[in-house]
Each structure stands twice: as C-alpha cells, then as structure tokens.
Amino acid sequence: MERPALPPVVYVPTITDEDGANRLRMHELRDGRVALFVYSAIDRLEEQYGEGHPWALLSVPNLQLAHERAPFDLLLLDRDLHPREEAAHG
C-alpha cells in the first residue's frame, strides 16, 4: 500500500502546557505508540477537535523539526479521532 503524499502544509492541533507554552498535541494509542494527527484543511481539524481549537500551520520541513524536538511514532493525515462504529465493522 502506498503512503499518501503530504500536502505542502498541514494544520496541527496544539495544547497549552502548564507553563503557558503551546505544544503540538500528541496522542498515545492503545498499543503505546505516540501519534501526531495532522489535517490538510482547517475544517477537517475542526470536525475532530471542535471549532476554535488552537492549531499551528506547519510545512513538511517544520514537521521534521517537530519530530526531532518531540519524537512521535506515527504521523496520521486526516484521520478521525474516534473512528465511527460502523467503520470498525466494515
């Protein structure tokens, strides 16, 4: 299976840590791996995190820098946070 190509820039959800610094929002998966969910359009991010959720716009080179600073195991493009039940059965 071919990997989908990343667009030149992606929208990445962020969080504010206890020190007030913005960080990329990582997700720990059930198997223990850490994933960074990225989105090709702001409306796709908002469908998953809600309108007004903080985000950053990153280029592919900036994604690489982010990975070097805070490693993650998977980079997931336009993925649902909570896959629908019918998708799990289909």
Side-chain angles (χ1 to χ4, degrees), residues 43-56:
D43 61 319
R44 292 181 181 198
L45 181 144
E46 288 178 341
E47 284 175 13
Q48 301 303 315
Y49 294 88
E51 191 173 329
H53 187 87
W55 51 270

Side-chain angles (χ1 to χ4, degrees), residues 19-66:
D19 296 327
N22 287 330
R23 305 265 184 240
L24 300 182
R25 183 172 180 180
M26 306 282 185
H27 297 274
E28 185 173 346
L29 305 179
R30 290 182 186 145
D31 64 6
R33 293 180 295 171
V34 175
L36 179 63
F37 288 57
V38 301
Y39 297 89
S40 58
I42 190 63
D43 61 319
R44 292 181 181 198
L45 181 144
E46 288 178 341
E47 284 175 13
Q48 301 303 315
Y49 294 88
E51 191 173 329
H53 187 87
W55 51 270
L57 185 64
L58 296 181
S59 64
V60 172
N62 284 338
L63 278 173
Q64 181 62 40
L65 288 173

